[in-house]
Amino acid sequence: RMPSCLLKLTRVVLSHKPWALFILIFTFVSFAYIKFYWRTWEDPKSRGHPSSLSAGTSCAPSVPSSQNIAGGPSPSPGNVFFVETSEQTNPSYLFSCSVESAARTHPGSRVVVLMKGLAKGNASLPKHWAFSLLSGFPNVQIQPLDLTELFSGTPLKKWYLWPLRRWEPYFLAVLSDACRIVLMWKFGGIYLDTDFIVLKNLQNLTNALGLQDKDVLNGAFLSFNPKHKFIELCMQDFVQNYNGWVWGHQGPGLLTRVFKKWSSIRTIRSMSCKGVSALAPETVYPIPWQDWKKLFEAVSALELQQLLKNTYAVHIWNKLSHGTKLEIPSQALLAQLYSHFCPATYAKMKQD
């Protein structure tokens, strides 16, 4: 029913000048829009409100990473994926270090590097030092990224094929967000951004993702079995709640939304719920993005050991750090990570 205030406004309009009709129409449309918006927001089917989930879900604190190494099952030989969604075919030192460190710590796994800029069907790689270096690792495979084929058979196919998609301001970042969840859905294994330095084998961290700080999950590292229900929900949320105009909405925002619904919680902490683990920040994000400059500060060997005690990989936050000069050689934290975990790339850096 129309509120009494609107009925009174109607009577006033009928006795005054025609311009007041515009006010009535505007008020009515605004009222209808607000009612529709809130009904949509409150509808558990359309918004996945926590009340629609099981209230009896019990979530336990996540197992400390040191215990995972000591008592966990033998690592499975799943693939480790890296993705480059731009047309670039000139990998940086950090890109090379990411792949090299993953190859060294996962000798029994295929480390698959998918690059959109590589020509499909062309067996030869571009002439670049990084391709020559990485091809020397027998478990590294560098392949073209066929996005149409990757998204086929998933809810993201129609999203990708919409012709105006490429005009969105964060398209490449959102495209990367899409690729990683589809890779986990179709193939399972481990996904890593190309600005990680891997310190330890990650295969024990199954069906897991990491907290970058309090209450925010990041998808720069993902580890899931294929066809996992959590990843299926991520694909659904990607399409149903899509917003390519807000930075992070399809990345950390999406994963945080889905995990809260999955776990029927309002605040995420280091925990395991219904078979999915939200890992403590020190596991793969030991340096918070707000403190990225610490990567370029000198640390002693003892400080380095203590800092990385419970850490599997270090995210370098390349979007923030890429313009900062790194002295080689030096005692800077990042320089020591290069030296220890991707020595071939480090040697090339010193040479250059």
Side-chain angles (χ1 to χ4, degrees):
R1 294 181 180 178
M2 185 180 293
S4 58
C5 61
L6 290 182
L7 293 174
K8 293 179 181 178
L9 181 61
T10 302
R11 297 190 190 101
V12 172
V13 168
L14 293 176
S15 61
H16 287 75
K17 296 180 180 180
W19 61 264
L21 180 62
F22 172 78
I23 299 176
L24 174 63
I25 295 173
F26 177 80
T27 304
F28 179 78
V29 171
S30 299
F31 172 77
Y33 173 79
I34 292 170
K35 290 290 290 182
F36 173 79
Y37 175 83
W38 282 111
R39 283 179 181 176
T40 302
W41 180 260
E42 293 169 358
D43 183 1
K45 293 182 180 179
S46 63
R47 300 299 300 184
H49 195 277
S51 63
S52 67
L53 298 173
S54 171
T57 302
S58 178
C59 301
S62 63
V63 179
S65 55
S66 60
Q67 292 185 27
N68 283 342
I69 296 174
S74 299
S76 61
N79 293 334
V80 179
F81 291 101
F82 292 92
V83 174
E84 175 56 67
T85 54
S86 75
E87 299 289 342
Q88 293 185 15
T89 55
N90 55 338
S92 65
Y93 295 118
L94 182 53
F95 184 113
S96 176
C97 182
S98 297
V99 179
E100 179 186 347
S101 61
R104 290 181 181 276
T105 51
H106 299 78
S109 303
R110 286 197 314 161
V111 178
V112 182
V113 183
L114 300 170
M115 303 186 72
K116 186 174 181 289
L118 296 181
K120 188 175 181 181
N122 188 349
S124 61
L125 294 170
K127 294 185 181 299
H128 189 277
W129 66 265
F131 293 126
S132 300
L133 185 153
L134 296 173
S135 296
F137 292 89
N139 57 332
V140 172
Q141 297 182 10
I142 304 173
Q143 302 174 0
L145 173 62
D146 186 333
L147 291 167
T148 303
E149 180 181 344
L150 177 63
F151 293 133
S152 66
T154 76
L156 278 71
K157 179 181 178 180
K158 288 184 178 179
W159 165 83
Y160 175 67
L161 293 178
W162 190 55
L164 299 182
R165 186 70 62 207
R166 288 146 188 79
W167 292 99
E168 294 174 353
Y170 308 119
F171 175 67
L172 285 181
V174 172
L175 185 59
S176 177
D177 293 329
C179 287
R180 68 192 67 184
I181 60 176
V182 172
L183 284 168
M184 292 296 94
W185 167 251
K186 284 191 167 184
F187 308 107
I190 293 168
Y191 167 84
L192 290 168
D193 274 2
T194 55
D195 58 348
F196 259 110
I197 298 180
V198 186
L199 319 185
K200 303 168 186 172
N201 191 294
L202 295 159
Q203 297 288 2
N204 283 325
L205 305 179
T206 306
N207 299 329
L209 63 171
L211 281 161
Q212 70 173 33
D213 50 35
K214 183 181 179 182
D215 201 41
V216 178
L217 291 164
N218 194 307
F221 158 80
L222 296 171
S223 177
F224 280 88
N225 293 329
K227 304 298 189 292
H228 196 284
K229 181 65 177 179
F230 180 84
I231 298 298
E232 181 182 355
L233 294 175
C234 288
M235 291 194 299
Q236 293 173 3
D237 187 282
F238 189 100
V239 176
Q240 293 172 0
N241 299 310
Y242 183 76
N243 187 341
W245 296 82
V246 177
W247 175 261
H249 185 80
Q250 302 302 118
L254 180 151
L255 294 167
T256 302
R257 290 192 303 273
V258 174
F259 191 86
K260 287 182 177 181
K261 295 174 186 177
W262 175 268
S263 308
S264 300
I265 58 173
R266 297 186 181 277
T267 302
I268 304 175
R269 60 189 186 280
S270 178
M271 62 194 298
S272 180
C273 198
K274 295 195 289 185
V276 177
S277 296
L279 303 172
E282 62 265 21
T283 310
V284 287
Y285 305 109
I287 307 296
W289 67 267
Q290 301 93 329
D291 298 331
W292 65 268
K293 290 183 179 180
K294 288 185 177 180
L295 292 160
F296 298 86
E297 297 174 1
V299 296
S300 67
L302 183 61
E303 288 175 316
L304 179 64
Q305 182 181 5
Q306 188 63 32
L307 176 66
L308 306 179
K309 182 179 179 181
N310 295 317
T311 299
Y312 280 78
V314 180
H315 194 223
I316 307 302
W317 307 108
N318 186 56
K319 185 174 179 61
L320 299 170
S321 65
H322 71 276
T324 305
K325 184 179 180 181
L326 176 65
E327 294 292 339
I328 296 292
S330 73
Q331 292 301 306
L333 171 58
L334 182 54
Q336 293 196 57
L337 292 175
Y338 274 112
S339 174
H340 285 88
F341 301 103
C342 54
T345 300
Y346 184 69
K348 175 64 177 173
M349 294 173 74
K350 290 195 296 183
Q351 176 185 322
D352 291 348

